Amino acid sequence: TVGCVAVDAAGNLAAATSTGGLVNKMPGRIGDTPLVGAGTYANALCAVSATGVGEEIIRRTAARDVAALVEHRGLPLRDAAARVVAGAPRGSVGLVAVSRGGEVCMARNTTAMFRACATEAGHDEVCIW
Amino acid sequence: MGWALALHGGAGDVPRTLPPELREPRLATLRRSLDLGAAALREGRPALDVVELVVRELEDCPHFNAGRGSVLAADGTVEMDAAVMEGATLRCGAVSGLSTVANPVSLARLVMERTPHVYLAFAGAEAFARDQGVETKDPSHFITEHNIERLRQAKEANRVQVDYTQPMNGQATQQAQTPADDNSQTG
């Protein structure tokens, strides 16, 4: 699964995700990616794209849960993402997120996630583990 | 605070011994996609354009599980899903079950922008793609030798696999397939 989240210089947020799903999935199976709030979500505060075991991400509405913790509990994006990921079974969820303020977060409970991020302030990172 | 972006190419159990021939192309695509997105943001392009641009680049890379390089369903076909969402307006679009659309993320955006709906799937989504004139490919375009082999291994082990699942032996497979409790299929 691939995905991207971004906040532009005007503070607009967006998220996008795309996937082939799971190897050997049943034909007709739909994963988390296209279900609004499960694998992809954006509002005026943050944008989130998830990857991992789709069924677990759907059960937890993971992307929307991150946004809801920011919106309703006032958690920093990093804490909200960590909480959602920690609540999922080990090895099942990874996500990337950005906030309107330009905070970047890449959280996972898997051993690895192919990921990258950059900010206007000059932070730049590409990594796997 | 300025612009920012983050992207992913899937998560899972990736061994640290991943051979360079599998690691380097993926890292190169992540770098290229990141630079593409950062340049677009630097030029003042809106976040919605940037996430579509970056995901299209990732979809075009056969080493990631989306677009060309999508993993195979049990019947050996690809069924691709994609979604896009704009934060300020809560507008969103999604597609499922695509087998011919070169860049599903762009079709998801067209669902968002040109229909009164949020989500189109399978035959309806394919018909919409043709109606919109988006680029399509023969279904074989999306299937790689690597993913044919992965499907063969998964069928042999009788399980489904997330993006970077490592091969398991028969005993471990049986354990993994056994529900831990009555709630294991909740949802």
Side-chain angles (χ1 to χ4, degrees):
Chain A
T1 304
V2 305
C4 180
V5 292
V7 57
D8 60 33
N12 299 303
L13 289 148
T17 317
S18 183
T19 189
L22 298 171
V23 181
N24 202 25
K25 65 183 179 181
M26 293 175 68
R29 177 262 190 187
I30 291 169
D32 59 285
T33 294
L35 300 181
V36 177
T40 312
Y41 191 76
N43 62 13
L45 298 176
C46 64
V48 184
S49 174
T51 177
V53 181
E55 282 70 9
E56 294 296 345
I57 295 167
I58 293 168
R59 290 176 181 124
R60 285 162 179 77
T61 56
R64 170 58 192 162
D65 227 28
V66 171
L69 287 167
V70 172
E71 182 177 0
H72 299 301
R73 297 200 72 169
L75 292 187
L77 181 65
R78 187 173 303 273
D79 294 349
R83 182 170 171 154
V84 169
V85 167
R90 186 179 171 85
S92 66
V93 178
L95 61 84
V96 297
V98 293
S99 72
R100 186 172 57 185
E103 183 186 1
V104 175
C105 171
M106 302 191 288
R108 70 184 198 280
N109 65 16
T110 55
T111 59
M113 178 166 68
F114 288 90
R115 61 197 188 277
C117 68
T119 69
E120 187 171 354
H123 179 75
D124 184 295
E125 185 179 351
V126 177
C127 45
I128 304 174
W129 295 281
Chain B
M1 292 289 289
W3 58 259
L5 82 160
L7 55 109
H8 64 77
D13 180 18
V14 183
R16 287 186 179 273
T17 54
L18 188 69
E21 64 269 25
L22 296 178
R23 185 176 65 236
E24 294 306 331
R26 291 179 171 120
L27 286 172
T29 300
L30 289 177
R31 167 53 64 190
R32 188 173 65 252
S33 303
L34 185 69
D35 291 346
L36 193 67
L41 287 166
R42 212 172 282 122
E43 291 166 7
R45 292 185 66 179
L48 185 62
D49 286 356
V50 172
V51 296
E52 181 188 5
L53 183 72
V54 169
V55 169
R56 283 179 64 100
E57 188 73 15
L58 293 165
E59 286 176 337
D60 290 341
C61 174
H63 297 286
F64 288 122
N65 176 21
R68 182 161 177 257
S70 287
V71 298
L72 306 183
D75 61 358
T77 63
V78 295
E79 291 185 351
M80 299 176 284
D81 303 338
V84 66
M85 188 158 186
E86 183 179 57
T89 61
L90 298 181
R91 290 192 308 162
C92 49
V95 288
S96 273
L98 299 176
S99 57
T100 70
V101 176
N103 292 107
V105 70
S106 292
L107 190 66
R109 182 167 177 178
L110 290 174
V111 170
M112 179 179 87
E113 293 181 334
R114 298 185 184 175
T115 81
H117 308 305
V118 162
Y119 190 173
L120 294 178
F122 294 91
E126 288 282 351
F128 178 66
R130 303 230 169 356
D131 182 58
Q132 295 296 311
V134 303
E135 184 183 8
T136 56
K137 301 280 190 184
D138 185 89
S140 62
H141 164 81
F142 301 95
I143 298 173
T144 64
E145 288 298 322
H146 178 67
N147 282 334
I148 291 171
E149 176 58 19
R150 287 187 68 191
L151 177 62
R152 190 193 65 74
Q153 289 177 2
K155 279 181 173 294
E156 208 166 68
N158 189 30
R159 66 170 185 167
V160 296
Q161 293 180 337
V162 72
D163 285 4
Y164 301 104
T165 310
Q166 296 306 301
M168 297 168 69
N169 62 33
Q171 185 181 9
T173 301
Q174 285 303 315
Q175 289 168 352
Q177 291 289 312
T178 304
D181 56 55
D182 290 340
N183 291 324
S184 61
Q185 296 299 312
T186 300

